[in-house]
Amino acid sequence: MTTASLAALVQRVRGAACLLLLAATLPAAAAEPVLAPGQYLWTPELAPSGPVVVVVSLPEQLAHVYRNGVRIGVSTVSTGMPGHETPTGVFTILEKRREHYSNLYDAAPMPFMQRLTWDGIALHAGKLPGYPASHGCVRLPYRFSELLFATTARGMTVVIADATSHMPAVTYPGWFAPVAPGTGQPRPVAAAMATGAYRWQPELAPAGPLTVVLSLGDGELAVLRQGVEIGRAPVQWQGPAYSGTRAWVLLEGDGTGASSVAPDRPARRWMEATASGAPADAVVAAVRAGKLQLPPAFAAALYDALAPGATLVVTGDSLGLNPSAQAAAGDDITVLEAEPATSVQPAGD
């Protein structure tokens, strides 16, 4: 056995060991993807910094991209055809090349190649017919592959999941990363909170940027650091109904007056990061008017943990919805089309 083959075998065994095999029956809520072949969503402003992890779902034929624990992208893919199935497990990005040509299939082009194994499995741009059609690689829309290439780094974790060897939460992931960024191990499902209770565990991830996700649909607020959820609390919202998703970034310095959620502390200064979506003026005005209420102790702890660069995401969606359910619920994030067929490079896998 060659060194390269041995390394590939070790990597696959590592993946199998890290994930829970022969998981429970898939949830009934799993739905067909709503993105057409070649379409993708890309909203990096929802989490501008933090660790990145990619989860490829073979049943969905989708790739989910998470940064700091929050999904910033989802794209249609085409994986291995019968007889050339894409291997499942936990992989790391071994090599990156903007221009690459297949060593196995007539030097076919593989733009924005990100190698997962030394025996030929990679992420790269290619044709997406709407079903598994590659020789084992994960094909991506050309523009999405370029965006992803600029976001990832060598050594980053990529999980490829299927319905027979992975937990349902990994096979059909949602808003938050279902796996740990560094290892690809599935995260434990947090216990339900009692009415009015909250969780605050900053020791789970002591350092790094914060991403705060407020779901006005769920009436919950979740706090993530380095991809780890460190807090969650119920919210009372007395403002207007809201749909869509917007993001703000915390600036340095204090604002005018007192904080509306932690009244004994000065207001913070926030800059909106999103440039499109549902109008947010009414929501901002309602928050300033005190119509958003958190448990006081939780609000104080969160306030003290915030630092410039933290991100606040406000959404009308449920935090647990998958992409299909989000679209059905009226998610208005722009769906980006693939480039015309003439500009999409052929697959090289």
Side-chain angles (χ1 to χ4, degrees), residues 196-213:
Y198 66 85
R199 290 193 297 268
W200 183 249
Q201 300 171 286
E203 68 278 4
L204 297 179
L210 284 185
T211 298
V212 181
V213 183

Side-chain angles (χ1 to χ4, degrees), residues 83-161:
H84 296 277
E85 288 81 2
T86 301
T88 63
V90 178
F91 304 88
T92 57
I93 295 177
L94 304 172
E95 180 185 27
K96 297 179 61 171
R97 290 186 181 179
R98 289 181 176 273
E99 295 185 14
H100 183 73
Y101 297 86
S102 175
N103 297 321
L104 301 175
Y105 300 103
D106 300 323
M110 301 169 63
F112 301 103
M113 186 277 294
Q114 302 190 66
R115 185 183 299 279
L116 302 181
T117 75
W118 292 115
D119 60 352
I121 305 301
L123 307 171
H124 66 82
K127 294 181 179 179
L128 283 83
Y131 51 84
S134 79
H135 286 91
C137 285
V138 178
R139 299 180 186 172
L140 305 168
Y142 187 87
R143 177 57 179 158
F144 182 85
S145 71
E146 183 179 21
L147 294 167
L148 181 63
F149 191 94
T151 302
T152 61
R154 289 181 59 184
M156 194 201 77
T157 299
V158 177
V159 177
I160 301 178

Side-chain angles (χ1 to χ4, degrees), residues 11-231:
Q11 191 174 38
R12 292 182 187 179
V13 170
R14 171 175 168 257
C18 287
L19 295 173
L20 296 181
L21 303 180
L22 302 177
T25 304
L26 292 174
E32 292 298 321
V34 297
L35 298 177
Q39 289 184 327
Y40 62 91
L41 306 175
W42 187 250
T43 52
E45 65 275 8
L46 298 186
S49 60
V52 177
V53 61
V54 175
V55 178
V56 177
S57 170
L58 298 183
E60 290 183 309
Q61 288 290 282
L62 293 175
H64 304 260
V65 185
Y66 299 88
R67 185 160 59 195
N68 206 30
V70 175
R71 188 175 58 215
I72 63 169
V74 58
S75 174
T76 51
V77 303
S78 179
T79 57
M81 68 179 78
H84 296 277
E85 288 81 2
T86 301
T88 63
V90 178
F91 304 88
T92 57
I93 295 177
L94 304 172
E95 180 185 27
K96 297 179 61 171
R97 290 186 181 179
R98 289 181 176 273
E99 295 185 14
H100 183 73
Y101 297 86
S102 175
N103 297 321
L104 301 175
Y105 300 103
D106 300 323
M110 301 169 63
F112 301 103
M113 186 277 294
Q114 302 190 66
R115 185 183 299 279
L116 302 181
T117 75
W118 292 115
D119 60 352
I121 305 301
L123 307 171
H124 66 82
K127 294 181 179 179
L128 283 83
Y131 51 84
S134 79
H135 286 91
C137 285
V138 178
R139 299 180 186 172
L140 305 168
Y142 187 87
R143 177 57 179 158
F144 182 85
S145 71
E146 183 179 21
L147 294 167
L148 181 63
F149 191 94
T151 302
T152 61
R154 289 181 59 184
M156 194 201 77
T157 299
V158 177
V159 177
I160 301 178
D162 68 13
T164 60
S165 63
H166 298 79
M167 297 176 62
V170 180
T171 309
Y172 295 90
W175 248 95
F176 298 142
V179 297
T183 64
Q185 292 182 342
R187 296 189 185 282
V189 177
M193 295 184 297
T195 302
Y198 66 85
R199 290 193 297 268
W200 183 249
Q201 300 171 286
E203 68 278 4
L204 297 179
L210 284 185
T211 298
V212 181
V213 183
L214 169 61
S215 169
L216 298 180
D218 281 348
E220 282 194 334
L221 183 146
V223 184
L224 297 100
R225 177 187 275 152
Q226 297 294 346
V228 177
E229 185 176 314
I230 64 170

